[in-house]
Amino acid sequence: MATPVLDAPPEGVERIIYRDTMVQGAPLQLAMDIYQPSGQSTAGAVLIWFHAGAFVSGSIQAPGHRSLARWLGGQGMTLVVPQYRLNADRSDLGPEVSDKLKALHKMRMPGFRKSLSAVKSLAALEDGLAALDWVESQRQSIGIDGKIVLGGSSAGAITALNMVHTAPFIGYLTPAVGGVISYSGGYPYPDLYRAGHVPVFAVHNPADDRVDIASIRQVAARDPLAELIEAPEQAHGAYFLSKGEPR
C-alpha cells in the first residue's frame, strides 16, 4: 500500500504541497492540511501533528484531526497535519539517513519493535523535518507568532521524537521546537535522547501491546522536562482527556 490518494480537504482547511519526494521508487507529492483558528488573522502556537498507522497506513484525513483542530482553535492555536511516506524502501532514503542505518540499528533499545524503528520510520523522519522547515519558513503567511510544537499518536509520536533527538545524530539542523506531545508513542534510541532539551508530555496505556510503554517510561525517568500519564483507559493511538490529566 503506497501513500493514499486524498479526497478534497474539509471546508475551511487549507491544503498545500510541501514536498516532492520518492516512495517505492515512484515520485510523490506530500501534502499538509492547515487548520487555523476561525475568526483570527494570526495564531499563537502551532501543533504539527503526525498520524498513527505503524508507518504502513493512516491518513491526514482521519476524522479525529478535525476534533483536535477545534480543541486547539479554541485556544488560539493552529493545527498542521502533514502527510508522510508509507511503506518506504531503503532506496527512498536520502544518503545522510542511509549512512546511519547500521549505527541506528545497533543503538535500538532492546524490545523496541524493529518495524517501528527501521527504514519506514526514518523516511517519516525525513518528511517530518521537511514539514517543520516549511512551517518555520512560512510563519508570516500562515500567521503564526508563537512556538512550534510537535506531536502525534503511535508512529506519529515516534516521528515527533525522532525529529528532536535522532535528527541531530544524522546531521540535520532543525528549527527550535517548543515541545513534544506523545500519545501511545516511544523513542527507540536511548543513547541519542537529549534529556532537558524540550518538554515532553506523554499519555500511554501500560498494557499497550503495539508500542511497549518501556521506552517512554525511560524518557520520563531520565528527563526532568518529561511528564508521563499512565492511563489504563487509553486506547492505543487515540487522544482524549484522561483521568488525572490537567484540564
Side-chain angles (χ1 to χ4, degrees):
M1 177 181 175
T3 302
V5 176
L6 298 174
D7 297 327
E11 183 178 354
V13 176
E14 181 182 7
R15 177 171 294 160
I16 63 94
I17 301 298
Y18 76 91
R19 188 174 196 216
D20 292 292
T21 184
M22 303 286 290
V23 66
Q24 299 177 6
L28 176 71
Q29 289 187 318
L30 293 176
M32 66 169 62
D33 284 350
I34 304 173
Y35 298 77
Q36 294 181 303
S38 59
Q40 295 183 217
S41 57
T42 60
V46 57
L47 173 63
I48 304 178
W49 184 263
F50 299 93
H51 65 75
F55 303 110
V56 297
S57 64
S59 171
I60 65 174
Q61 297 186 134
H65 296 152
R66 300 178 72 174
S67 298
L68 181 59
R70 286 194 294 271
W71 298 339
L72 295 172
Q75 304 300 316
M77 293 180 63
T78 294
L79 174 67
V80 173
V81 186
Q83 273 188 306
Y84 57 85
R85 286 169 290 176
L86 305 176
N87 286 296
D89 297 328
R90 179 168 181 168
S91 61
D92 298 323
L93 297 176
E96 301 88 352
V97 178
S98 291
D99 289 347
K100 298 292 187 181
L101 279 175
K102 288 185 178 179
L104 289 170
H105 175 75
K106 292 178 181 178
M107 286 187 283
R108 187 173 69 244
M109 180 180 181
F112 200 98
R113 285 173 57 188
K114 182 179 179 180
S115 62
L116 298 178
S117 57
V119 167
K120 295 177 180 64
S121 69
L122 297 172
L125 164 62
E126 289 182 334
D127 299 336
L129 293 173
L132 173 59
D133 285 342
W134 189 93
V135 171
E136 179 64 32
S137 70
Q138 299 296 319
R139 278 180 171 272
Q140 186 172 0
S141 64
I142 301 175
I144 300 166
D145 58 12
K147 294 180 179 180
I148 298 175
V149 178
L150 307 177
S153 56
S154 192
I158 293 170
T159 299
L161 287 163
N162 270 334
M163 289 168 65
V164 173
H165 300 286
T166 308
F169 173 75
I170 294 170
Y172 289 121
L173 298 176
T174 60
V177 299
V180 174
I181 300 171
S182 169
Y183 274 81
S184 308
Y187 186 66
Y189 313 113
D191 290 345
L192 298 181
Y193 188 86
R194 300 181 292 167
H197 184 63
V198 299
V200 175
F201 175 75
V203 180
H204 210 109
N205 186 331
D208 193 326
D209 61 357
R210 298 189 192 180
V211 179
D212 192 277
I213 196 173
S215 69
I216 204 70
R217 273 180 176 161
Q218 187 176 99
V219 165
R222 65 187 291 194
D223 190 347
L225 296 183
E227 178 185 0
L228 168 62
I229 293 177
E230 298 194 16
E233 72 278 10
Q234 177 71 30
H236 178 82
Y239 36 93
F240 54 85
L241 198 66
S242 296
K243 294 177 182 178
E245 182 176 344
R247 293 182 178 271

